[in-house]
Amino acid sequence: LRVRWLCHRGDGWLETCEAQTIEARVLARSRDRTATDLEDLHPCEWIAVALRVASPDCVFELDFLERATSLLLPFFERPADATSHTPRFLDAPFAATDHLYKYYSVLPGGYVSLAHGLFS
């Protein structure tokens, strides 16, 4: 799994780059709850993954979420005669910034907090 986000260039402008993945951990999946691999996901199955990425110039979680542009999901096409093990990537866009603010409260001093009642 890969994440694209807007990172700072040396001249202060933002550009799209790929964040360094630190850890990708399977939390749950539809078929076998004990499976922990990302390799064997079949059509019509789902998987929940905790993804840790390096974002050196982001202080808060919301800083990164505002600048994340897409999640790159690897997949393989497996026709009967396929010999290539090079993945292709599905580019799945992140939620829009205005959608993110439904789940966070902006506090005095510029701090943010996850909104109450989100998981109730």
Side-chain angles (χ1 to χ4, degrees), residues 12-93:
W13 288 91
L14 294 174
E15 68 179 343
T16 301
C17 58
E18 209 170 279
Q20 176 190 359
T21 301
I22 297 171
E23 176 187 19
R25 185 170 39 98
V26 176
L27 300 177
R29 67 183 304 149
S30 60
R31 182 171 41 100
D32 180 5
R33 293 191 181 271
T34 62
T36 58
D37 64 325
L38 294 170
E39 303 292 323
D40 190 25
L41 192 62
H42 296 95
C44 299
E45 291 182 342
W46 58 265
I47 191 166
V49 177
L51 186 63
R52 290 181 54 210
V53 295
S55 51
D57 57 341
C58 291
V59 177
F60 300 107
E61 176 183 31
L62 189 58
D63 295 340
F64 178 79
L65 293 175
E66 286 177 330
R67 290 171 34 196
T69 59
S70 63
L71 179 64
L72 299 171
L73 305 166
F75 70 94
F76 295 91
E77 292 183 285
R78 296 189 185 187
D81 60 342
T83 57
S84 174
H85 295 288
T86 304
R88 293 179 53 197
F89 289 89
L90 173 68
D91 195 350

